Amino acid sequence: MAEGDYSPLSKLFQKENFEDWSKPHIVGATTEYSSLLKLQAMKEGGLRKYGSGIIVSVVTCTEIKQGVAIETGKTSSKYFDACSIIELHEDDFKALGINHNTNVRVTSAAGSIILKAVTTTQSLYPGLAHIPMGPWANIVVPAYTYSTGEPCFCGFDCLIEPAPEEKIEKAVKLMHEKCGLKYVGDPHYD
Amino acid sequence: MTKTIKNVICTFCGTLCDDLEVDVSDDGKRIEQVRNACAIGAEKYLHVGNPGRVVLPRMRQADGTYKDISYEEAIDFTAKTLLKAKKPLFYGWSSTNCEAIAAGNTLAEKTGGVIDNCATVCHGSSLLAIQDTGVPSCTLGEVKNRADRVIFWGCNPAHAHPRHMSRYSIFPRGFFSAKGQKGRKIICVDCRETDTAKVADVFVRIKQSYDYEVFDALRTVLRGEEIPDEVGGVPAEKIKEVIELLKSGRFVTLFFGMGLTHTLGRNHNIDNGINFIRDLNDYTKAVLIAMRGHYNVTGAGQVLGWQYGFPFACDLSRLTMARHNPGETTSVDLLVRHEVDACVVIASDLAAHFPFEATRVMSTIPTITIDPHISMSTELSDLHIPVAIVGVEVGGCCYRMDNVPIETRKCVDAPEGVLEDEELFKRISARVDEILAENGVSTAAEYLAKIEQET
């Protein structure tokens, strides 16, 4: 990821050795104060707001729209619409000062991604956000598994910042660019 | 004139609904209509005939484009890649049949690979807890016929297993549950008020990642001890209400999902959940069932279990013994630590469902994806081998989420020339044997030693 892709807060996340960031609690134990713990402290101290953004706990779960779209095809626009979103509580929309369906930048210890902030019928509480499982969500999912094999798909902290001018990348292009592979267009379907 | 095939098994989720009706065209090549399926199941069957189906293996070129190659070339490339690798990873298996899994495991054993299935990022923690604690469980038929108290904890069947509630857990009338939904009390525990929570009698909203504490509080109240006024965002009165409701039931079933296994605590959450159910058995009959996602992720664990003794993350790289050490032999850890040097993704989509750091490593090593459709993994792989779709174009044994084996059915013919998973693995195995014989060696380790000596 290019350096300019990072938000101001994500400078806190920048670390020479990425692997440290996939092991947040080890970093916390061995360094003075990891950015992840700083986020946690700010959250617990009631300081959820940071600059133009807010800090939320994110869960990634299966959705029926996502399930249908998987069967339609992962390069389909249905899959893009179902998975490149983040569901927020109404209070969090107010805290961010944005309307529904505005693009936001979501930054975690693992990475940063542009998603569309939407409202949901499956209610959340303020400070809890949901991203449907998929390649977009996995950009920000920390890979540390606590020796069980299961990464932190649920309950990791993210900074959400308004990014109305930014564009959401399509899945294949996103993956190719982030993996450093040459993108030559989407195959089939779309 | 269409032909109707009845009692088709839906191969989407772990519920494995067995009452689908599929209308196929006269020539047996096209699916015209699907009845009784959920939105996802219907899409699965109906999109089979969509344009753009890949019917030949595709090899990635230096310029990023893909070139069609023959199955023989693809099999040869796969066999050579696996033999050249010191520790190849075989990940996936959840969306294919048990016959293919057994054939694939044989190939992994020959080439000294690590076999892992989707449980590693799904219910692997549950399997760890079950190994530690045991599991009081039952079949979904028993739930339908007996359950009068049903708990959904950290799962959302309304979205992930759409017909689970109507076939087994909430609405159906059974032998001892003749009143159906009216005779059942449904409790939903989640941090989100999901669509499942909306049909529950009692919704317990807990703070994200406080599942262990809430299980503890429930067990404490069940044993007649006092708890704080609030635990994990749940008032003490609510916890006591839930306990009274459960104690008054004749048959309690706890369905749990990835809300428990993906969150802080992981296997310890399940451990506590199992102990809670064990404690409840002092008062009434109580069981629990994991809400397995892919239709044959349970089968992948079963086959690995009876072949090597471990349900997932099985390391065969020592060639003489199987090892299972979660955190070391699990796919995400292996990839993030760069410990595998080739990857075969079968009937699953690693790139769409692993944290990106693991996916990025996958894209840097030789990767072969075996999948009927285009997916994120196929687009990051060196080789994509298309296969027939299990449950639609080929039958085979699959295990439902309650560990009941069900024989799936073929509805239509696969496109001409497209191989089945099982046949493909057998042919790759045969090619591996040929290469070993050509080099005058009998094992993958000897082959590697010979190659290293020559270079």
Side-chain angles (χ1 to χ4, degrees), chain A residues 71-72 74 121 123 138 145, chain B residues 43 47 198 205 333 349 352:
Chain A
E71 294 304 334
T72 308
K74 284 185 175 150
T121 54
S123 85
N138 288 332
T145 72
Chain B
E43 185 71 22
H47 95 293
K198 286 172 191 156
R205 190 199 285 273
D333 299 277
D349 193 357

Side-chain angles (χ1 to χ4, degrees), chain A residues 66-77:
Chain A
Q66 172 230 8
V68 173
I70 282 176
E71 294 304 334
T72 308
K74 284 185 175 150
T75 53
S76 67
S77 51

Side-chain angles (χ1 to χ4, degrees), chain B residues 171-188:
Chain B
F171 303 109
R173 294 162 193 267
F175 194 82
F176 298 108
S177 54
K179 289 184 183 170
Q181 187 193 11
K182 285 181 183 169
R184 292 193 179 96
K185 292 287 179 196
I186 313 300
I187 300 162
C188 183

Side-chain angles (χ1 to χ4, degrees), chain A residues 171-187, chain B residues 58 60-66 363-364 376 378-382:
Chain A
V172 179
K173 191 177 179 197
L174 178 78
M175 284 295 169
H176 276 82
E177 284 179 355
K178 295 232 177 232
C179 291
L181 296 172
K182 194 175 174 188
Y183 174 69
V184 289
D186 277 11
Chain B
R58 302 182 306 143
R60 176 188 276 278
Q61 306 296 296
D63 64 357
T65 58
Y66 280 90
S363 74
T364 63
M376 290 303 110
T378 64
E379 296 317 291
L380 296 180
S381 298
D382 299 290

Side-chain angles (χ1 to χ4, degrees), chain B residues 9-245:
Chain B
I9 319 296
C10 175
T11 47
F12 171 68
C13 74
T15 312
L16 277 180
C17 298
D18 52 10
D19 59 346
L20 267 58
E21 291 183 1
V22 179
D23 290 351
V24 299
S25 62
D26 219 11
D27 56 2
K29 291 191 185 305
R30 222 173 44 253
I31 292 177
E32 303 285 357
Q33 203 181 357
V34 182
R35 284 182 292 278
N36 298 345
C38 66
I40 306 174
E43 185 71 22
K44 168 152 193 154
Y45 282 83
L46 292 174
H47 95 293
V48 168
N50 281 3
R53 176 85 181 265
V54 182
V55 293
L56 273 175
R58 302 182 306 143
M59 177 83 88
R60 176 188 276 278
Q61 306 296 296
D63 64 357
T65 58
Y66 280 90
K67 178 188 157 196
D68 286 351
I69 59 170
S70 69
Y71 270 99
E72 282 68 32
E73 288 171 293
I75 287 165
D76 184 61
F77 177 84
T78 309
K80 284 179 179 160
T81 305
L82 291 174
L83 279 173
K84 278 181 200 157
K86 283 183 179 166
K87 195 172 184 178
L89 170 66
F90 293 75
Y91 170 79
W93 308 109
S94 306
S95 296
T96 186
N97 53 30
C98 291
E99 293 84 347
I101 297 168
N105 290 353
T106 308
L107 174 65
E109 189 178 334
K110 264 184 203 166
T111 52
V114 181
I115 313 164
D116 203 0
N117 53 56
C118 297
T120 197
V121 290
C122 175
H123 271 288
S125 306
S126 310
L127 297 165
L128 297 182
I130 288 167
Q131 285 169 354
D132 286 346
T133 319
V135 58
S137 193
C138 69
T139 64
L140 289 174
E142 277 192 272
V143 175
K144 177 189 168 186
N145 286 309
R146 295 175 187 275
D148 61 347
R149 300 286 182 270
V150 179
I151 315 168
F152 293 106
W153 196 311
C155 59
N156 188 6
H159 281 251
H161 304 82
R163 296 186 71 215
H164 187 277
M165 298 187 295
S166 60
R167 279 175 59 84
Y168 303 112
S169 51
I170 300 183
F171 303 109
R173 294 162 193 267
F175 194 82
F176 298 108
S177 54
K179 289 184 183 170
Q181 187 193 11
K182 285 181 183 169
R184 292 193 179 96
K185 292 287 179 196
I186 313 300
I187 300 162
C188 183
V189 187
D190 211 303
C191 60
R192 296 189 299 153
E193 191 180 357
T194 59
D195 288 335
T196 305
K198 286 172 191 156
V199 294
D201 297 283
V202 180
F203 170 51
V204 182
R205 190 199 285 273
I206 63 171
K207 277 198 227 165
Q208 207 285 317
S209 82
Y210 277 81
D211 305 81
Y212 189 93
E213 286 84 346
V214 176
F215 269 129
D216 246 3
L218 285 165
R219 292 181 68 194
T220 309
V221 171
L222 192 63
R223 289 169 182 228
E225 304 289 339
E226 281 305 310
I227 55 168
D229 293 341
E230 187 189 300
V231 179
V234 188
E237 295 75 39
K238 192 92 170 176
I239 289 174
K240 288 172 185 165
E241 178 196 335
V242 169
I243 287 296
E244 287 312 312
L245 193 63

